[in-house]
Amino acid sequence: MADDLEVFNAHRERLRGVAYRVLGRAADTEDVVQDAWLRWSAVDQAEVDDPEAYLVRVTTRLAVDRLRSAQSRREAYVGSWLPEPVVTGPDVAERVALADSVSTAMLLVLESLSPLERAVFVLREAFGYSYAEIAGIVDRSEPAVRQTAARARAHVEDQRVRYDTDRATRTAVTERFLAACAGGDLGRLVEVLAPGVALISDGGGLAQAPRKPILGAELVARALVTFAGRTPDGLTAEIVDLNGGPGIVARAGGAVVSAMTLFLRDGLIETIHLIANPEKLTAIPPAR
């Protein structure tokens, strides 16, 4: 019979995926997964018929409780709040629905849901659990879960923006964008930006970043060139898979100083998420 840790590790990535989509914070995700392990290690495995169901139930409830306590802290957050970026592999990027569910744009939309709505939406839309299974996970009746899921889905569909999903296009535009930023080429930068592009920066009061969104191609291009010009000596930037798609990670002295994700519509950059808050960059590995 498999030991406690072996069984838990078999489901760890799923638990991490559920917790991250519910919370939008990498550090909180790891705390929740660790708490789930403590719960799991304290139970008699022989009494658990379905380890995955038990672990997902525990993880979801822990994540919902933590999200409720975090919402008051976010109300006092300095500047724009963005989900923490995480490194994802090509396997996620190649599955469009899964990649979309972990993108910072989708996670930002999910912020407008209640903790219960968010958990139900994640379990149903990202992981495909049945309404009956979700009812057991969140301790609600199946009809109540169906209503919650419908309400959450309608809200998300009303709020979300449909961005380009073609990976080749996103990668090519990201490469052009990075080259223009690195070269301080304002003209080439404007060429890849949509006229109404929005730059949303998250410094959390701990790093230099605009506290309000910057709108419009000219203003965004100038802000990015200025931002690039203020970076420390020895800065390097590379394209990395972030949240299900190509992103840009900047490092100085081996330490991560910013992460950027670009969202395209009709081949042009419509929205830019720039995370510079050092507390939100801990899930991205330092330089190899």
Side-chain angles (χ1 to χ4, degrees):
M1 181 177 178
D3 62 25
D4 291 359
L5 184 58
E6 183 180 348
V7 174
F8 187 84
N9 283 339
H11 303 289
R12 185 186 293 272
E13 287 307 310
R14 169 154 295 219
L15 304 183
R16 185 178 283 123
V18 170
Y20 177 70
R21 286 166 176 81
V22 172
L23 290 163
R25 285 184 61 95
D28 284 350
T29 293
E30 295 306 320
D31 288 344
V32 162
V33 173
Q34 180 61 27
D35 287 345
W37 157 247
L38 294 176
R39 300 284 183 91
W40 173 247
S41 62
V43 303
D44 182 356
Q45 280 194 45
E47 297 180 358
V48 179
D49 294 330
D50 187 339
E52 179 185 325
Y54 175 88
L55 288 168
V56 170
R57 180 169 66 251
V58 168
T59 299
T60 300
R61 293 182 182 183
L62 288 169
V64 167
D65 289 344
R66 186 171 286 254
L67 181 58
R68 285 173 176 150
S69 65
Q71 287 182 329
S72 60
R73 297 197 304 270
R74 291 181 189 175
E75 291 174 1
Y77 195 79
V78 177
S80 299
W81 186 95
L82 290 172
E84 292 184 19
V86 293
V87 175
T88 51
D91 57 322
V92 173
E94 289 168 1
R95 297 165 61 186
V96 175
L98 192 60
D100 180 59
S101 74
V102 79
S103 76
T104 54
M106 172 58 79
L107 293 174
L108 199 56
V109 171
L110 296 186
E111 284 295 306
S112 58
L113 299 177
S114 72
L116 178 62
E117 288 173 337
R118 183 166 180 166
V120 169
F121 182 87
V122 165
L123 292 169
R124 179 64 180 171
E125 302 299 325
F127 294 95
Y129 285 105
S130 69
Y131 293 115
E133 289 171 321
I134 298 172
I137 292 171
V138 300
D139 194 24
R140 296 291 192 279
S141 69
E142 186 174 339
V145 165
R146 288 181 178 274
Q147 291 179 349
T148 300
R151 186 167 61 247
R153 190 182 305 110
H155 181 83
V156 169
E157 288 301 317
D158 183 59
Q159 297 293 321
R160 75 188 301 186
V161 177
R162 298 284 183 179
Y163 293 112
D164 294 351
T165 58
D166 180 71
R167 183 173 178 81
T169 300
R170 294 184 66 189
T171 300
V173 172
T174 301
E175 289 172 347
R176 291 171 59 194
F177 173 89
L178 178 56
C181 285
D185 192 327
L186 201 64
R188 289 178 62 194
L189 193 51
V190 170
E191 288 178 359
V192 298
L193 301 176
V197 62
L199 169 61
I200 303 172
S201 304
D202 182 343
L206 301 176
Q208 286 191 342
R211 295 188 178 183
K212 295 182 178 180
I214 298 175
L215 307 176
E218 288 288 344
L219 291 177
V220 167
R222 293 185 184 281
L224 289 168
V225 168
T226 300
F227 181 79
R230 291 175 178 170
T231 53
D233 293 337
L235 183 84
T236 61
E238 65 174 329
I239 296 177
V240 176
D241 275 317
L242 294 177
N243 294 82
I248 299 170
V249 172
R251 297 181 177 90
V256 178
V257 295
S258 68
M260 194 178 302
T261 306
L262 315 177
F263 299 95
L264 282 59
R265 293 185 74 184
D266 300 323
L268 295 175
I269 300 168
E270 184 83 11
T271 305
I272 303 170
H273 286 172
L274 170 62
I275 298 95
N277 181 346
E279 294 182 350
K280 290 190 170 185
L281 298 170
T282 58
I284 301 175
R288 299 180 184 86

